[in-house]
Amino acid sequence: MIVVTGATGNVGGELVRTLAAAGEQVRAVSRRPAEFPDGVRHRAADLGDPASLREAFQRADALFLFVAGEDPQGILRVAAEGGVRRVVLLSSLGAGTRPAAYAHPVSFEEAVRASGLEWTILRPGGFHTNAYAWAGTIRASRTASAPFADVGLPTVDPADIAEVAAAVLREPGHAGRIHELTGPAATTPRERAAAIGEALGTPVRFVEQTREEAREEMLRFMPEPVVEGTLTILGGPTAAEQKVSPAVE
């Protein structure tokens, strides 16, 4: 039995479908019910409350864990007590390149390493789906805005991350390893807006934000250290953050 937390998320939802299609027994964990493939069992639980996960983890062999909640040690302790022996953690590329800014993923990585379980860490860069942040303004005025208009970074499809996670959960040879997942090409915000316009068949006007304008917007839904780290990556990425490689080999 494989437990997938965050089972309604961009990666978790794809992973549930991929594992189910491969014939695996899957237990999907999310705070709210959702539609899942036939044969997938759902358990309502919250990573912010490790005790709520006990039933979900019972008699499971492997766990896909994403960074949520404030008690990774508690989550992993409940997982081990339920029978889980292998964990795949969805972390962030920033945990390796900007650990001070990405303290939350780093704390989960440290807890996984110290858990006594067989572990693998996935560190993806930016997601293709981050472009959905433009959906409202593109619908309303055919405009998209972002800082650092001409700085290119690779992004990765969450479906590709799910394919990697499925392989790691099902195949041997990944224990104790960290897989960094980026995309096949570096693109700039200006280029991404143009590509969306091309797909829509109508131009999308790109508006370059200042760093401060972007910071103010991002602070509405991200902690300040993560905002600062993210803006630094977007404006002055390191070689590791610009590394281009297929998400699925």
Side-chain angles (χ1 to χ4, degrees):
M1 175 71 70
I2 299 173
V3 174
V4 177
T5 64
T8 57
N10 288 330
V11 177
E14 290 285 353
L15 179 58
V16 167
R17 289 186 284 274
T18 299
L19 291 172
E24 297 289 346
Q25 289 187 305
V26 182
R27 191 173 291 154
V29 177
S30 63
R31 286 180 293 180
R32 291 176 291 276
E35 290 188 10
F36 296 104
D38 290 344
V40 173
R41 305 173 187 176
H42 176 258
R43 293 290 183 274
D46 189 340
L47 289 170
D49 177 12
S52 73
L53 296 160
R54 291 192 184 281
E55 183 180 357
F57 290 160
Q58 285 298 311
R59 296 178 298 282
D61 305 302
L63 166 66
F64 176 78
L65 178 64
F66 83 111
V67 175
E70 301 296 332
D71 186 10
Q73 292 88 352
I75 295 169
L76 293 163
R77 182 170 57 253
V78 172
E81 290 170 354
V84 171
R85 293 294 173 262
R86 186 155 46 101
V87 59
V88 175
L89 176 69
L90 180 65
S91 182
S92 168
L93 188 63
T97 62
R98 317 269 176 171
Y102 288 80
H104 200 200
V106 168
S107 69
F108 269 73
E109 290 192 7
E110 291 173 347
V112 163
R113 289 191 184 97
S115 67
L117 303 176
E118 181 182 306
W119 59 266
T120 307
I121 295 171
L122 306 182
R123 286 180 178 168
F127 289 10
H128 287 353
T129 47
N130 291 347
Y132 286 137
W134 288 339
T137 58
I138 289 176
R139 287 194 189 101
S141 59
R142 290 297 187 263
T143 62
S145 59
F148 315 113
D150 299 305
V151 178
L153 282 168
T155 61
V156 61
D157 191 330
D160 286 345
I161 300 170
E163 290 278 357
V164 173
V168 170
L169 285 162
R170 301 181 68 225
E171 301 170 2
H174 300 277
R177 297 181 64 184
I178 298 173
H179 296 308
E180 296 180 348
L181 309 177
T182 63
T187 59
T188 69
R190 195 188 305 277
E191 289 169 339
R192 291 194 285 273
I196 292 171
E198 185 176 347
L200 292 174
T202 182
V204 171
R205 184 171 67 93
F206 182 79
V207 178
E208 184 171 14
Q209 294 176 311
T210 66
R211 181 182 176 115
E212 188 54 39
E213 286 170 340
R215 181 179 184 276
E216 183 177 347
E217 186 174 296
M218 293 165 70
L219 282 172
R220 298 173 191 165
F221 56 90
M222 294 168 65
E224 185 172 3
V226 176
V227 169
E228 294 299 339
T230 300
L231 286 170
T232 301
I233 291 173
L234 294 176
T238 66
E241 289 157 353
Q242 289 183 305
K243 180 182 178 184
V244 172
S245 61
V248 180
E249 297 180 357

